[in-house]
């Protein structure tokens, strides 16, 4: 029986409900929090839950003790939990939702239900507004007013955080719509998304047209738009159907470059540009450059022209974070050969059905052929990652045979690899004699994320001293928006990677995007090399490469620093677990 993500989400949901009900029932807050933590652990599991249950190894997960493990097992097997059902039985209907309102205890919820039949927040709100709550035993006008304030606070929209893989396709489809607007000459994504931030809180667009009105009308008529929040002569803002705020500026074509530069940011980058402008007797505003003395606009057909008038080379959007890029550009030290998607020759870090991937070796290989890639590394999980069906040596041998068979039918060169766990003591997961027969060894941490910085640093440094340690996979283990990076002394670990001549993976899985740009730059300073990977668990996820490229560029990584820009033979030599690069 194959569990679907919905099953896992439902189990996490039940654990959270249990936590909420326990808290409401006045149980120890520690007990309630234990269920919360377990729910989080289940949600962040990047492995097969059923296999964990099957193996009786749930208690190895952080924060899951015997009792909670039993509840998860019961939920996994039967879809229900007797303990949860019993607790629900004791509560008035809607208690859990009503319990989200601070100060509303179980006693009060019970009283409200008995007197007014209140079962939802909306019903409670209505009762407050109609002045009926003040008549309930134990409550007065003051309570009623306070409840209403808290309900309104709850209903305020929460801050939106969109991950890159959701923001980018959404913004691209909105841009496509914008480009069909009457009179539109150009339209592009701007804002933090153009700089390829891991997450954004809004989508920003800039368009050029002789008259803005029709473009704004067309934009707001998009089927993606749910409601209009603002509209002026040259701009508008709106909320898309799934709650995502958007902003659009429409300018005359000769102001487009300046508006795009301004709307792309960042604030710090623009500040540095404004300083460079002042040095040259110019002024930078939201529409471009103008002479400080005459006020005459400096004509600019594109952003390149604006930078040129400031005596600078073009600064790609991914670099515009105010991290010294303007100063580097002034000094002629800005890399002019940042890696691009077209530079990549090989797909790195790919899983198949042998471990927790969705597609077969043949399916992945054919997809790589279709993408015109020269090599594909098959790196399924190692035995310690039992929950992800990590391969023991026998199955690894079977995989090699299958790789050889599939190789006969495809053009792309298939490389034998593993994503070996970095064990708790810093060891790798196969005997050296096996590792040495592989083309590619990626080593990653998948368990014991929460060691203290000392132990974690020792673990990683020791792993990097292994002669077969060639690529450090999803280095700091963070999950975007949901899991903090591991704790370690990163610089010390990067020094060890440099000493061991290991490369660093820039992981393109949009849930990971690991390393972060600041650490990529710290790695570059040590002369380290990189692979831009997909961490693909399916054919579709081979497209993750674009996110990896974005992260590499944000870390100022040049083409020559990325090993998978190399031809097959040179790549194999560079990463071979048998020898030195
Ligand atoms: Zn991994
Ligand atoms: Zn992986």
């Amino acid at each position: 029986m194959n569990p679907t993500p919905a099953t896992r989400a439902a189990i996490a949901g039940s654990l959270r409900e249990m936590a909420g009900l326990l808290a409401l029932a006045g149980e120890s807050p520690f007990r309630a929090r234990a269920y919360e933590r377990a729910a989080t652990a289940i949600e962040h599991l990047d492995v097969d839950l059923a296999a964990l249950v099957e193996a009786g190894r749930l208690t190895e997960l952080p924060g899951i003790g015997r009792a909670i493990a039993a509840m998860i097992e019961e939920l996994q097997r039967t879809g229900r939990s007797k303990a949860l059902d019993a607790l629900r039985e004791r509560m008035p209907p809607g208690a859990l939702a009503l319990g989200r309102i601070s100060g509303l205890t179980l006693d009060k919820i019970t009283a409200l239900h008995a007197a007014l039949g209140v079962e939802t927040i909306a019903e409670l709100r209505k009762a407050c507004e109609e002045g009926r709550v003040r008549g309930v035993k134990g409550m007065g006008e003051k309570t009623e007013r306070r409840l209403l304030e808290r309900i309104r606070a709850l209903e305020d929209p929460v801050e939106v955080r969109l991950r890159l893989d959701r923001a980018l396709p959404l913004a691209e489809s909105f841009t496509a719509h914008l480009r069909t607007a009457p009179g539109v000459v150009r339209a592009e994504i701007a804002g933090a998304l153009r700089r390829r931030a891991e997450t954004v809180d809004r989508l920003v667009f800039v368009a050029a047209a002789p008259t803005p009105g029709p473009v704004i009308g067309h934009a707001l008529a998009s089927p993606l738009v749910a409601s209009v929040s603002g509209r002026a002569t040259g701009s508008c803002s709106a909320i898309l159907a799934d709650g995502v705020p958007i902003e659009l500026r429409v300018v005359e074509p000769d102001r487009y470059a300046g508006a795009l530069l301004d709307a792309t940011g960042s604030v710090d980058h623009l500040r540095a540009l404004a300083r460079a402008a002042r040095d040259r007797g110019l002024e930078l505003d939201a529409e471009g450059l103008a002479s400080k003395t005459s006020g005459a606009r400096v004509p600019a057909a594109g952003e390149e022209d604006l930078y040129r008038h400031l005596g600078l080379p073009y600064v790609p959007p991914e670099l515009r974070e105010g991290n010294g890029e303007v100063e580097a550009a002034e000094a002629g030290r800005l890399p002019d050969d940042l890696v691009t998607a077209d530079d990549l020759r090989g797909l790195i870090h790919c899983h198949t059905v042998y471990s927790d991937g969705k597609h077969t070796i043949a399916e992945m290989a054919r997809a790589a052929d279709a993408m015109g890639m020269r090599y594909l590394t098959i790196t399924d999980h190692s035995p310690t990652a039992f929950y992800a069906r990590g391969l023991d040596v026998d199955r690894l041998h079977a995989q090699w045979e299958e790789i050889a068979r599939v190789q006969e039918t495809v053009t792309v060169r298939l490389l034998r690899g593993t994503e070996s766990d970095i064990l708790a003591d810093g060891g790798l997961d196969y005997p050296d004699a096996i590792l040495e027969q592989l083309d590619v060894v990626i080593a990653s941490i998948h368990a014991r994320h929460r060691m203290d910085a000392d132990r974690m640093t020792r673990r990683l440094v020791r792993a990097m001293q292994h002669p077969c340690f060639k690529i450090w996979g999803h280095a700091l283990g963070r999950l975007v928006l949901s899991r903090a990076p591991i704790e370690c002394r990163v610089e010390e670990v990067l020094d060890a990677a440099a000493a061991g001549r290991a490369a660093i993976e820039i992981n393109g899985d949009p849930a990971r995007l690991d390393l972060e740009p600041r650490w990529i730059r710290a790695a570059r300073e040590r002369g380290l090399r990189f692979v831009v990977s997909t961490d693909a668990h399916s054919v579709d996820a081979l497209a993750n490469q674009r996110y990896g490229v974005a992260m590499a560029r944000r870390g100022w990584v040049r083409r020559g620093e990325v090993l998978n820009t190399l031809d097959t033979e040179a790549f194999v030599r560079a990463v071979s677990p048998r020898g030195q690069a």
Side-chain angles (χ1 to χ4, degrees):
M1 192 184 69
N2 229 350
T4 62
T7 311
R8 204 162 70 180
I11 291 174
S14 295
L15 291 167
R16 284 198 197 286
E17 182 178 356
M18 189 77 177
L21 292 176
L22 284 171
L24 205 53
E27 288 282 340
S28 136
F30 298 104
R31 217 181 137 210
R33 233 174 288 144
Y35 283 90
E36 281 281 350
R37 267 205 306 274
T40 308
I42 296 293
E43 279 161 357
H44 292 182
L45 206 60
D46 28 19
V47 298
D48 189 334
L49 180 62
L52 271 182
V53 171
E54 216 61 72
R57 297 177 81 160
L58 273 174
T59 51
E60 289 172 20
L61 293 177
I64 297 194
R66 203 92 52 84
I68 295 181
M71 176 170 165
I72 294 171
E73 204 171 323
E74 192 188 353
L75 285 163
Q76 164 82 32
R77 298 228 155 101
T78 68
R80 306 195 65 90
S81 150
K82 289 202 187 79
L84 179 59
D85 288 349
L87 201 53
R88 278 181 188 146
E89 207 60 45
R90 284 170 49 198
M91 304 279 173
L96 191 64
L98 290 165
R100 286 172 54 220
I101 303 167
S102 65
L104 206 51
T105 59
L106 184 56
D107 286 350
K108 286 184 182 148
I109 293 171
T110 309
L112 284 165
H113 184 249
L116 306 172
V118 165
E119 293 183 7
T120 66
I121 293 179
E123 286 168 7
L124 180 58
R125 180 191 182 123
K126 190 149 178 281
C128 287
E129 283 165 350
E130 292 169 353
R132 288 184 284 128
V133 168
R134 66 188 72 170
V136 177
K137 193 172 133 253
M139 295 184 208
E141 253 179 87
K142 213 169 119 197
T143 313
E144 193 179 72
R145 202 170 51 240
R146 224 171 324 138
L147 280 176
L148 196 53
E149 277 165 17
R150 285 175 186 156
I151 291 170
R152 284 183 181 147
L154 266 186
E155 287 170 353
D156 261 356
V158 285
E159 200 203 349
V160 177
R161 273 280 149 202
L162 278 183
R163 237 168 53 175
L164 185 55
D165 55 323
R166 187 156 156 249
L168 198 52
L170 189 57
E172 280 167 348
S173 73
F174 194 77
T175 312
H177 172 76
L178 273 181
R179 288 182 178 146
T180 62
V184 93
V185 186
R186 303 184 64 177
E188 261 166 287
I189 299 168
L193 182 58
R194 183 157 178 249
R195 307 196 310 271
R196 297 294 186 261
E198 296 97 320
T199 65
V200 298
D201 62 2
R202 75 197 64 194
L203 306 179
V204 180
F205 304 89
V206 178
T211 46
V215 179
I216 288 175
H218 181 85
L220 295 176
S222 157
L224 291 170
V225 169
S227 65
V228 178
S229 29
R231 184 173 183 163
T233 312
S235 66
C236 65
S237 54
I239 308 286
L240 301 188
D242 39 7
V244 179
I246 63 162
E247 293 169 4
L248 167 66
R249 258 180 86 188
V250 186
V251 293
E252 287 174 34
D254 63 343
R255 307 290 165 101
Y256 180 74
L260 182 62
L261 181 75
D262 182 69
T264 300
S266 66
V267 172
D268 289 336
H269 179 74
L270 295 174
R271 195 174 293 141
L273 288 184
R275 194 258 314 142
R278 278 194 303 278
D279 292 351
R280 296 183 162 245
L282 296 169
E283 209 148 27
L284 180 70
D285 62 23
E287 298 188 325
L289 290 168
S291 158
K292 214 162 23 180
T293 42
S294 70
R297 290 254 136 225
V298 176
E303 283 179 324
E304 289 82 355
D305 288 345
L306 295 169
Y307 284 103
R308 191 165 42 77
H309 285 296
L310 297 175
L312 300 172
Y314 176 70
V315 179
E318 298 94 328
L319 267 52
R320 299 183 196 168
E321 296 295 342
N323 288 326
E325 67 278 5
V326 173
E327 294 74 7
E330 282 172 327
R333 287 187 288 102
L334 197 71
D336 60 357
D337 53 358
L338 293 183
V339 66
T340 67
D342 290 340
D343 294 328
L344 300 184
R345 304 273 177 269
L347 291 161
I348 311 302
H349 193 161
C350 303
H351 296 272
T352 72
V353 291
Y354 271 86
S355 66
D356 57 351
K358 249 195 231 152
H359 293 111
T360 61
I361 294 170
E363 287 166 329
M364 296 294 273
R366 283 198 293 269
D369 262 351
M371 291 167 77
M373 286 288 158
R374 299 195 192 163
Y375 46 98
L376 169 75
T377 78
I378 308 286
T379 51
D380 275 305
H381 287 284
S382 65
T384 299
F386 60 89
Y387 43 77
R389 307 203 330 115
L391 279 66
D392 59 22
V393 173
D394 284 346
R395 290 183 56 233
L396 191 65
H397 279 127
Q399 187 182 51
W400 294 352
E401 282 165 26
E402 184 166 337
I403 287 174
R405 276 198 304 277
V406 173
Q407 185 65 78
E408 302 290 310
T409 68
V410 293
T411 310
V412 67
R413 170 87 176 275
L414 302 177
L415 299 176
R416 306 199 302 209
T418 180
E419 180 181 14
S420 168
D421 266 41
I422 297 174
L423 306 178
D425 66 358
L428 298 185
D429 212 6
Y430 289 110
D432 292 3
I434 295 292
L435 291 173
E436 285 165 4
Q437 295 178 61
L438 293 165
D439 298 312
V440 183
V441 176
I442 297 173
S444 316
I445 286 181
H446 290 114
R448 311 287 303 275
H449 286 97
R450 288 180 200 218
M451 284 184 174
D452 63 49
D454 263 334
R455 288 184 61 205
M456 190 61 93
T457 303
R458 279 202 301 276
R459 175 186 187 181
L460 287 165
V461 169
R462 175 158 179 249
M464 287 172 185
Q465 287 161 352
H466 194 296
C468 296
F469 189 109
K470 290 295 171 176
I471 300 171
W472 187 18
H474 46 74
L476 296 181
R478 66 113 168 234
L479 294 176
V480 175
L481 294 177
S482 68
R483 186 169 73 202
I486 54 170
E487 283 181 33
C488 66
R489 293 187 295 276
V490 182
E491 275 151 345
E492 200 176 317
V493 177
L494 292 175
D495 287 341
R501 305 176 66 91
I504 313 277
E505 175 187 68
I506 299 174
N507 189 297
D509 177 349
R512 293 190 179 274
L513 301 178
D514 198 355
L515 281 177
E516 291 171 57
R518 64 184 172 128
W519 292 126
I520 294 176
R521 292 181 65 189
R524 287 189 68 232
E525 284 164 16
R526 288 162 172 79
L528 281 156
R529 292 291 181 261
F530 303 91
V531 296
V532 174
S533 83
T534 65
D535 204 348
H537 289 72
S538 68
V539 162
D540 286 346
L542 292 174
N544 284 350
Q545 218 171 23
R546 73 183 298 204
Y547 304 120
V549 169
M551 292 300 281
R553 291 171 64 85
R554 290 179 61 208
W556 298 31
V557 173
R558 306 169 65 171
R559 180 184 309 132
E561 294 169 323
V562 177
L563 295 179
N564 53 319
T565 62
L566 296 172
D567 284 339
T568 313
E569 293 313 322
F571 174 78
V572 168
R573 249 180 286 128
V575 301
S576 169
R578 287 175 296 280
Q580 51 284 98

